[in-house]
């Protein structure tokens, strides 16, 4: 277990467990290292428990993505074709309804996001792993990315657009999260 210490302009120490199980500690400028070490030692049980939870989450996440092997060119090509067949009609229908037009739509094996919208170039990219979700959850992602062509940030206007164009987006988001957690 690696412990990373960062001194910051803060009034108290804090600690978190990152994805790989390492411990990140933030401490106020000038705090003696001995105090930081004592803080870590006092929270040893919390660290052990939360590292275990983080590793279990990572294992579930890895198992989820492993359901769609994308190691060969043929597997990727097949996945792109399947996703295109599902997503393109959704994009066409919702783009027409929303009066937006993406410049292009791409498909990549992204694990950190379901989709990405580059507002400047009006380009949208969808994760191939959307194939692991129910179709209505995929549609939610399509509408989400198209909404970014109308509103770049996740502010109240964006949420109002989502409510208007895909009223069940909150349920779809929860379902997608449940699928990933197994």
């Amino acid at each position: 277990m690696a412990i990373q210490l960062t001194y910051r302009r803060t009034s108290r120490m804090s600690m978190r467990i990152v994805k790989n199980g390492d411990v990140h500690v933030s401490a106020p400028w000038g705090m003696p290292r001995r105090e930081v070490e004592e803080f870590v030692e006092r929270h040893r049980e919390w660290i052990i428990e939360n590292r275990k939870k983080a590793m279990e989450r990572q294992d579930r996440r890895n198992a989820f993505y492993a359901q769609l092997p994308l190691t060969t060119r043929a597997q990727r090509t097949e996945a792109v074709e399947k996703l295109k067949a599902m997503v393109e009609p959704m994009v066409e229908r919702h783009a027409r309804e929303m009066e937006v037009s993406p410049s292009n739509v791409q498909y990549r094996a992204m694990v950190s996001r379901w989709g990405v919208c580059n507002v400047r170039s009006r380009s949208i990219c969808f994760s191939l792993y959307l194939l692991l979700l129910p179709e209505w959850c995929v549609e939610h992602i399509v509408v989400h990315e198209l909404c970014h062509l109308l509103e770049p940030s996740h502010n109240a206007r964006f949420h109002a657009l989502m409510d208007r164009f895909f009223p069940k987006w909150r349920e779809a988001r929860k379902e997608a999260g449940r699928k990933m957690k197994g």
Side-chain angles (χ1 to χ4, degrees):
M1 159 181 70
I3 297 176
Q4 179 182 324
L5 172 60
T6 306
Y7 286 100
R8 295 203 160 114
R9 195 178 340 178
T10 181
S11 59
R12 60 192 171 104
M13 275 190 282
S14 64
M15 180 170 32
R16 67 187 176 97
I17 309 296
V18 294
K19 281 182 186 176
N20 70 358
D22 287 351
V23 180
H24 286 198
V25 179
S26 294
W29 287 109
M31 179 170 278
R33 187 154 184 98
R34 181 184 41 76
E35 276 187 58
V36 174
E37 290 167 357
E38 288 170 1
F39 175 79
V40 169
E41 190 53 44
R42 278 195 316 273
H43 293 88
R44 176 118 354 239
E45 282 187 37
W46 180 90
I47 292 169
I48 292 167
E49 180 181 321
N50 283 280
R51 283 189 79 231
K52 182 180 173 195
K53 286 179 186 175
M55 299 317 280
E56 287 169 356
R57 260 191 317 274
Q58 194 60 39
D59 288 346
R60 282 193 306 271
R61 183 179 166 88
N62 292 341
F64 174 80
Y65 288 115
Q67 295 175 79
L68 182 66
L70 296 172
T71 51
T72 68
R73 184 179 298 258
Q75 289 171 331
R76 284 177 181 263
T77 302
E78 182 183 351
V80 167
E81 292 309 313
K82 278 177 136 174
L83 191 58
K84 263 184 169 180
M86 183 191 318
V87 167
E88 284 185 358
M90 292 177 188
V91 169
E92 287 176 28
R93 186 175 77 247
H94 288 290
R96 190 171 42 253
E97 178 188 354
M98 298 166 75
E99 298 179 350
V100 296
S101 56
S103 62
N104 72 334
V105 177
Q106 300 171 323
Y107 305 91
R108 284 197 303 251
M110 301 184 295
V111 295
S112 61
R113 297 177 178 197
W114 295 120
V116 179
C117 177
N118 182 321
V119 179
R120 281 198 179 99
S121 69
R122 303 188 66 74
S123 173
I124 296 176
C125 184
F126 293 105
S127 172
L128 293 174
Y129 293 104
L130 286 173
L131 290 169
L132 299 173
L133 298 179
E135 198 167 316
W136 72 286
C137 292
V138 174
E139 189 170 6
H140 145 256
I141 304 299
V142 168
V143 173
H144 181 107
E145 298 310 328
L146 289 172
C147 278
H148 279 307
L149 295 175
L150 296 169
E151 176 55 55
S153 65
H154 292 117
N155 59 17
R157 180 172 182 258
F158 177 86
H159 292 119
L161 289 166
M162 285 299 295
D163 288 337
R164 177 176 165 200
F165 294 113
F166 198 83
K168 296 189 314 185
W169 69 270
R170 288 176 180 85
E171 293 89 347
R173 188 169 144 182
K174 283 180 189 168
E175 180 65 20
R178 273 196 291 273
K179 289 287 181 192
M180 267 190 71
K181 292 175 183 171

